[in-house]
Amino acid sequence: MELHVRYEGDDDPEKCSARRLAKFDDAELHRSTRSTPPGIVLNPFADRALSPADREGTGSRRDRLVALDCSWETAEREAFDLEGVHRSLPFLVAGNPVNYGTAFQLNTVEAFAGALCILGEREQAEEILDRFSWGHTFLELNEEPLGRYADCLDSTEVLAVQDDYLADEGEA
């Protein structure tokens, strides 16, 4: 799948996973919304969860993932005016050193990797995570949920699986 990033550039360049992906030609950075191509937009504020069903259909929009790379402090609903099908990622835990162990606080490469796994592109997810010393940690922390999400038929099933994890988190 093609990986595209609407790049805000407001976080630490040394820790920016999107910049590293671009450095290795794994993703393309776009400095404006207009220059960012349409696709499946990873948007934490979207009403529907990403599921394997989002890969079905025809057209390049289904073969392209788009993320917004910005600091969590500026990630607001208004920032996601990108063209495409907007989907949120279900419950996943960060494996990166900045947000390690924090649910829903993924950096850009983790968001891409999680989405790729859900969409049946596990090998590509592993390849992009190999660029980071901690990349394998993300997959290890999320092995079970990623497998379960990838086995779902649609967003409704993904949310049911997510509810299982959130219920377990609440009991812990």
Side-chain angles (χ1 to χ4, degrees):
M1 287 191 81
E2 292 178 26
L3 304 180
H4 294 267
V5 180
R6 168 61 181 94
Y7 181 67
E8 291 286 327
D10 60 357
D11 54 1
D12 183 345
E14 296 298 315
K15 296 177 183 172
C16 180
S17 64
R19 287 173 55 118
R20 178 171 262 182
L21 289 175
K23 176 182 174 184
F24 290 103
D25 293 324
D26 292 326
E28 187 174 337
L29 301 184
H30 304 275
R31 294 284 186 166
S32 71
T33 299
R34 191 166 26 166
S35 71
T36 307
I40 299 171
V41 179
L42 302 178
N43 177 347
F45 304 107
D47 293 331
R48 291 187 61 195
L50 182 72
S51 77
D54 291 310
R55 189 74 191 270
E56 296 170 7
T58 59
S60 61
R61 289 182 182 205
R62 302 294 184 177
D63 292 330
R64 187 181 297 140
L65 282 174
V66 179
L68 173 67
D69 185 89
C70 62
S71 101
W72 277 103
E73 289 78 28
T74 61
E76 297 177 7
R77 193 176 298 264
E78 294 78 39
F80 288 92
D81 56 354
L82 298 166
E83 187 179 340
V85 178
H86 287 241
R87 296 291 185 261
S88 61
L89 286 172
F91 173 84
L92 294 169
V93 176
N96 70 75
V98 174
N99 292 315
Y100 179 84
T102 306
F104 299 106
Q105 293 282 317
L106 310 180
N107 65 20
T108 303
V109 72
E110 290 173 319
F112 276 144
L116 288 166
C117 287
I118 292 167
L119 296 173
E121 299 290 338
R122 172 72 182 231
E123 188 173 309
Q124 186 179 2
E126 291 173 2
E127 287 173 14
I128 63 173
L129 287 169
D130 280 346
R131 307 283 187 206
F132 303 86
S133 61
W134 47 263
H136 67 283
T137 304
F138 174 76
L139 290 177
E140 289 169 8
L141 289 172
N142 295 290
E143 189 69 38
E144 183 182 342
L146 285 171
R148 290 182 65 195
Y149 297 141
D151 288 339
C152 292
L153 293 177
D154 57 26
S155 183
T156 303
E157 287 187 14
V158 168
L159 291 177
V161 170
Q162 174 181 267
D163 288 347
D164 287 347
Y165 288 101
L166 293 176
D168 289 345
E169 285 290 306
E171 294 171 8

